[in-house]
Amino acid sequence: WWISMTLTLTLRGHVGFDSLPDQLVSKSVSQGFCFNILCVGETGIGKSSLMNTLFNTTFENEEVNHFQNTVYLRHRTYNLQESNVDLKLTIVDTVGFGDQVNKEESYKPIVDYIDTQFEHFLQEELKIKRSLHNYHDTRIHICLYFISPTGHSLKSLDLVTMKKLDSKVNLIPLIAKADTISKCELQKFKIKIMSELVSNGVQIYQFPTDDEAVTEINSTMNAHMPFAVVGSCEEVKVGNKLVRARQYPWGVVQENESHCDFVKLREMLIRVNMEDLREQTHTRHYELYRRCKLEEMGFKDTDTDTQPFSLHDIYVAKRKEFLAELQRSEEDMRQMFVNKVKETEAELKERERELHERFEQLKRVHQEEKRSLEQKRHELEEEMNSFSRRKVAAEALQAHMLQSSITHTIKKDKDKRK
Ligand code: GTP
Ligand code: MG
């Protein structure tokens, strides 16, 4: 139907579309940026302190107790401004992570949270009237996973959780409270962690090395992973400068001390790779979620005859499938209802039979009792009759005896008078 052709031409003068990058920059600056950080780590491992140190402010210092029945996520959004750039920053952190006796399901709320943010974005994209330009994107751009500074090895909770997260989010492992571990131990611990991550197939985020401007710094930094960090909410005067640091009886541990990678983390996360993190979230992790979700919903790019997919055909097929499913479940429900009625009917019949049997039995008992009472009455009547007969005979005998006694007395009196 149409012929397409691409040609390369040379312009004869300045047209002006070389200002496109500047136009993009000013548009982005006026729109502002959003960045969402997820901190995963045990209670009290230093999540809030690190966030405060990272952005050199005080977000919150609310402590969580260790008695949570389940893990849940808490998120807060802040509007920050630096020069003329607005940053809408969302910090999400885990509450109660690692506090349950059974930690098998601890990763689930985290995975669910990440998926829910993807789902919200997908729903917005699928709307007829989309408003993506002013949509508050809550998708997680970076997940900082805090590892306890044990110097030993990773816990199974760490490995399981990181494995579940690595395909959903840009994952950066951190060794927390790095001031509590010696320099030599730290190096060994880092090597151990990396080898365990590799042997368990956990994919962590790699700073991009394809852009020449950052190739060197990013490849050096990739070799430093996992970063060892120190967080602090206190400001300590060092020389005549106020710095965030931890003051101990033996000295001050500063965020920029040589054995801590805090500065590297801030450089990498905020100053060099924030845009890559946002891009990777959209092009890799969200894309994967979107693909799986759309495939689950029955969408596919090409059918068996490699024809471009038709939204209408998919809709019709889905509708047919849905109606068939509806009919099936209606039929199932009807069958269930019929079975239930039959069951109740049988139950009632059985109950009626039982009642009838009971009635017959009671009737039999009653008749038996009636018969025995009848018999007793008959016997008593017999007894009464015989008693009356005996009474009559006794009375007659008594009268007769009285008569003969009187006659005898009179005769005796007569004889005396003579
Ligand atoms: P919840 O939100 O309650 O789970 O804790 P959290 O992970 O946010 O930890 P938080 O930042 O509140 O720090 C807990 C304790 O650890 C506080 O006493 C901090 O001072 C201390 N802490 C934080 N970061 C570090 C660190 O880098 N080194 C050392 N030694 N202590 C730290
Ligand atoms: Mg906290």
Side-chain angles (χ1 to χ4, degrees):
W1 282 16
W2 56 72
I3 299 165
S4 81
M5 201 190 297
T6 310
L7 296 173
T8 309
L9 296 177
T10 319
L11 301 172
R12 291 210 189 96
H14 181 244
V15 177
F17 60 77
D18 57 356
S19 73
L20 260 174
D22 303 334
Q23 291 173 36
L24 283 176
V25 169
S26 57
K27 192 175 160 208
S28 303
V29 167
S30 69
Q31 272 178 0
F33 299 87
C34 76
F35 193 62
N36 307 319
I37 304 180
L38 167 64
C39 297
V40 179
E42 292 167 16
T43 306
I45 204 165
K47 301 181 289 293
S48 307
S49 305
L50 187 79
M51 286 302 107
N52 291 345
T53 319
L54 207 55
F55 288 91
N56 201 11
T57 184
T58 305
F59 293 116
E60 57 94 21
N61 285 318
E62 218 176 280
E63 265 183 36
V64 176
N65 64 41
H66 288 273
F67 310 109
Q68 309 292 329
N69 292 331
T70 50
V71 177
Y72 67 93
L73 281 92
R74 186 176 53 180
H75 60 99
R76 292 194 169 108
T77 301
Y78 308 91
N79 289 315
L80 306 177
Q81 196 178 32
E82 196 171 48
S83 307
N84 62 341
V85 178
D86 291 319
L87 181 69
K88 196 180 256 234
L89 176 73
T90 300
I91 298 177
V92 186
D93 66 353
T94 53
V95 177
F97 188 72
D99 284 334
Q100 294 75 37
V101 177
N102 182 357
K103 301 182 183 66
E104 235 170 73
E105 309 266 278
S106 296
Y107 69 88
K108 270 201 174 146
I110 309 171
V111 168
D112 287 349
Y113 183 88
I114 297 172
D115 281 346
T116 308
Q117 310 320 308
F118 284 150
E119 186 60 32
H120 288 165
F121 193 83
L122 182 64
Q123 290 300 328
E124 188 62 37
E125 262 192 347
L126 294 177
K127 273 186 190 169
I128 293 175
K129 282 186 187 167
R130 299 183 295 180
S131 49
L132 286 171
H133 60 285
N134 58 6
Y135 172 78
H136 179 200
D137 188 1
T138 54
R139 294 172 297 173
I140 298 295
H141 298 118
I142 176 85
C143 168
L144 299 175
Y145 191 94
F146 290 68
I147 298 166
S148 300
T150 56
H152 266 251
S153 56
L154 287 170
K155 298 175 187 173
S156 50
L157 173 66
D158 298 330
L159 281 170
V160 169
T161 311
M162 283 198 261
K163 186 81 201 120
K164 294 285 178 189
L165 295 180
D166 70 352
S167 60
K168 298 199 166 279
V169 71
N170 297 316
L171 181 67
I172 293 192
L174 300 178
I175 298 172
K177 302 190 180 181
D179 53 322
T180 60
I181 191 167
S182 79
K183 205 165 179 172
C184 162
E185 281 171 340
L186 184 61
Q187 276 322 307
K188 283 191 196 147
F189 193 33
K190 278 190 175 189
I191 295 168
K192 187 98 194 261
I193 290 173
M194 286 315 285
S195 80
E196 284 188 354
L197 289 179
V198 170
S199 59
N200 284 282
V202 178
Q203 297 273 322
I204 61 171
Y205 173 75
Q206 294 290 306
F207 299 115
T209 48
D210 46 2
D211 177 357
E212 264 177 39
V214 291
T215 306
E216 205 184 317
I217 180 167
N218 277 354
S219 31
T220 320
M221 293 300 159
N222 279 333
H224 272 94
M225 293 252 242
F227 291 143
V229 292
V230 173
S232 172
C233 297
E234 291 168 50
E235 288 193 324
V236 179
K237 204 161 188 186
V238 177
N240 51 4
K241 250 178 77 184
L242 263 184
V243 290
R244 281 185 181 264
R246 305 191 63 80
Q247 195 160 28
Y248 292 110
W250 55 88
V252 173
V253 182
Q254 248 178 279
E255 58 186 43
N256 59 358
E257 272 200 359
S258 61
H259 94 276
C260 149
D261 302 319
F262 172 79
V263 178
K264 295 187 190 86
L265 176 71
R266 181 157 68 188
E267 189 74 14
M268 287 291 93
L269 224 64
I270 302 174
R271 299 185 185 163
V272 182
N273 295 304
M274 197 185 253
E275 190 44 37
D276 185 69
L277 287 162
R278 285 159 35 91
E279 199 186 304
Q280 291 286 325
T281 302
H282 186 70
T283 55
R284 239 179 88 209
H285 302 299
Y286 170 66
E287 206 53 32
L288 179 63
Y289 177 85
R290 182 180 169 278
R291 200 185 72 210
C292 296
K293 199 73 196 186
L294 293 186
E295 275 173 1
E296 212 176 88
M297 285 160 76
F299 292 94
K300 47 182 180 277
D301 286 340
T302 48
D303 64 18
T304 39
D305 309 322
T306 61
Q307 292 292 313
F309 89 102
S310 149
L311 207 57
H312 179 257
D313 289 353
I314 289 170
Y315 169 74
V316 171
K318 269 276 147 192
R319 192 177 143 77
K320 227 184 209 172
E321 208 177 286
F322 172 74
L323 288 177
E325 180 64 39
L326 197 73
Q327 210 170 354
R328 242 193 327 273
S329 57
E330 221 177 81
E331 184 58 34
D332 284 355
M333 289 243 310
R334 209 178 58 79
Q335 196 56 43
M336 213 165 77
F337 181 72
V338 169
N339 289 348
K340 201 87 198 145
V341 168
K342 272 189 189 155
E343 257 172 46
T344 319
E345 228 173 58
E347 253 172 46
L348 281 174
K349 267 197 184 138
E350 178 63 21
R351 190 108 187 85
E352 194 183 315
R353 196 187 57 75
E354 275 173 19
L355 279 174
H356 195 70
E357 241 171 44
R358 179 117 188 84
F359 172 72
E360 286 296 319
Q361 194 189 358
L362 283 174
K363 206 164 121 184
R364 269 198 305 277
V365 169
H366 173 70
Q367 273 173 356
E368 197 63 39
E369 270 174 11
K370 199 173 154 191
R371 206 167 26 247
S372 96
L373 278 175
E374 210 47 53
Q375 172 106 24
K376 254 190 195 145
R377 192 167 70 92
H378 188 67
E379 279 169 15
L380 282 173
E381 270 174 10
E382 277 292 305
E383 225 170 277
M384 264 169 67
N385 286 344
S386 102
F387 178 73
S388 323
R389 273 198 305 274
R390 277 208 305 276
K391 190 181 162 195
V392 170
E395 276 170 1
L397 186 64
Q398 206 176 11
H400 177 69
M401 278 170 70
L402 191 66
Q403 185 68 41
S404 40
S405 138
I406 293 168
T407 320
H408 185 65
T409 316
I410 294 169
K411 196 178 167 201
K412 245 181 171 180
D413 282 353
K414 267 184 190 170
D415 286 349
K416 261 183 198 171
R417 256 181 259 151
K418 273 180 197 173

